[in-house]
Amino acid sequence: MRKISKLFTRKNLPLLAVLLLELTFVAVRFAGDFRTGPVIDITPDRIIPYAEECTNDERGARVENFTGLFAVTRWVDIAPGSYQVSVTYVNNGEDGKVTFLDETMPTAQYDAARLPAERTRTVFSLWLPHGCETAQLQFYADCGEQRVIYITGVQLVPTHAWAYVRLLTALALFAVLDWVVLFATRRLPLPVRSVKARYTWVAMGCIVVFACMPLGLGYLTYGHDLSIHLSRIEGLKAGLLSGQFPVRMDPAIINDKGYPFSLMYSDLLLYPAAILRILGFSLQSCYKFYVFCTTAATALVTRWVLRRMLGSEQVALLGTALYTLSFYRLTNVYVRAAVGEYSAMIFLPLVLYGLWRIYTQEVKADRRSEPWCWAPLAIGFTGLLQSHLLTTELAGLFTLIFCLIRFKKTVTRPVLPALCKAVGAAVLWNLWFLVPLAQYMVMGVCRISGKYDASYLYDSAVYLGQMFTLFGRGGGVAESIQSGMCEEMAQSLGLVLAVGAVFLLLALLDPAVRRRDRRAAKLGVTALGFGALAVFCASDLFPWYDLFRAENGVAQALSRLLGKLQFAWRFLTPATVLLVLCACCAVALFLKARPETGRRMAAVLLALTVIPAGYLMYDKCDRSVNTVYLSLAAVDDLPGQVGGGEYLPAGDLTTDDSAWGCLDPVCSDGVALTGYDKNGLRVTLSAANPTGENGSIRLPLFYYPGYRMDGGDGGVTLTHKDGYLFVVMAPGWQGTVTVRWAGMWYWRISDAVSAAAVAATLILWRRTRRRGPATAA
């Protein structure tokens, strides 16, 4: 209370007055934004033909055997705000499309929504910052012979998303401004006291902002996997709104049939983006926020790791720039939109640091390991597991090779207990994710797209001349090695990392430089060796094809195991972080022995990083297609939501429209469906089977273990066939049942174990800090 009373003094009256004005402004504006107008109902008589082939009657606008724009609405006066646009239609041809036209001020953002044949209603989001008196909807058809499409009506329903987004952004803006004012007026002490530290944080900010330049566009640039990961955010949002936590079965994807994206591909890091989505922010704003946060986290983790390993702020900043702006990372972020892979790159430096801490710890008299030296390795692998399983496998492979090479030290008492603690902690912390994943993998529940082996790795290898190019394109895809690198995406580490390796060799050849810091020299040699191994595995020089052709059983097993990586160029991920560490060790050695030479080397490396990175991002922005994503309607290309059909039920043998359709329950002959209601992953139905044999109802839900049926009082069972859930009724059965997603009871036990393990770790760490550094973990 005393601290609060100190705020209300005469000295603070001006600041309190400003705060009151800010809150008043925000409240008044929010009240105005929250008031929405009436629903705008566009009846069939207000949908007029645009093409000569189109006709209009009391049912709506109709066109047959036509492709292109066929109908539009009359001009509509729409106030500023956010809307859900609902279009009802009938279509038995190819997918149609609906777009929005703002005749006066084209500032509207909307989803170009599809009108698929398997549905009769589509909903998309519309944002109007300024309102429009002459707006209209336009309808496109793609109907062949004897194919027809009807547009029967449109509704524009105002939402409160506009009000919530403007409220939250205004509060955040005023909070930042007030924070700056308080520091400028000395009401709060500066968090960064030394001038050197201020320069450091300015440099960090410049690195992050430069790496996020393409996010400054009013839209998203196209990425290979962008629609898939946007669907993950939307599915996670729907799962949270349905009451799941943690979310394991996404309700929104694939026409609300239930899809285990969250179970098979952990999305723990996506929860903040999903929460912003729930608060009303557009899908592309949430994704941009996620990219910015992962970029900032990558920079912060890299600087922290390099400072501790090499003891130099200058080298840490250089390494942060080299890694955050590296070719392969920027390609993952902006060209491939590989969310899992660039998220995993946050934690790779932690894995390196964790191994370094464990193997360089001081051996005490009692041979006990240093307190918490195992924690960075455990946190690093936890982050990898929660980001990208394939990168986790790569990191695990290189960690295993390192431990085997250092076998004599690995089995010593200080090292081996620390490694066991790291492994045990990582497993316990992630048990909530590993148990359901292991069950689905062992049971073969999901169909994993593609059966890869070492022959695929050979076909996706990278030429050495391609791997160290100075510049790279901001577009393209990964082609077969037989096609060369023409029009390919940048499958390169950049010339800078090759130059960094050369600098390390120069340092090792100079005794005066090498002897100044033997630990840095040893670290650099190790990083160079494993980096060269990763480059070798990614290159066309590795005998992937010979491994595939080998008749030895062990070689065949290794071929299938490594083939799960899908592409040889994935080895560029560990190669990037290892060669960045190698370059940093070189500069650190020269800065201690020959400071002027070391500074020149750092300048060369920085120039070889910033210039190519700037060109790649410019090329991406200059050539990329303008794509706006406000909601799931923008990624309504159903196969595009799940890529190649990964994680579809193993019993579903098709990837055409028959897999995406089935929006309604399908009854067998004689079965009468008297009541039906579906809400996400919960279906309630009333039915009767008056026949003398078993009857069934196919539900519009994909089959995965974890569904439960309530009610029925016997005579009815829940089963599956061809990838769908079926309710099977005995002869003469009549009643009501509810089918819902519940998961497995032992999943909840794994959730509790993980939560308890995390809580116990935090409590133990807190107690250790209070007792002092002498206490062992």
Side-chain angles (χ1 to χ4, degrees), residues 378-390:
I379 295 171
F381 270 103
T382 294
L384 292 179
L385 278 170
Q386 297 301 326
S387 302
H388 196 236
L389 287 177
L390 294 180

Side-chain angles (χ1 to χ4, degrees), residues 586-633:
V587 174
L589 287 169
F590 273 102
L591 284 175
K592 289 184 178 180
R594 309 184 194 282
E596 189 62 32
T597 303
R599 284 191 286 270
R600 290 175 181 174
M601 286 182 171
V604 170
L605 293 174
L606 189 61
L608 291 176
T609 297
V610 172
I611 295 173
Y615 175 78
L616 186 148
M617 288 188 288
Y618 162 76
D619 187 65
K620 179 62 183 175
C621 296
D622 184 57
R623 298 175 183 270
S624 179
V625 177
N626 181 333
T627 55
V628 175
Y629 295 95
L630 298 187
S631 66
L632 190 62

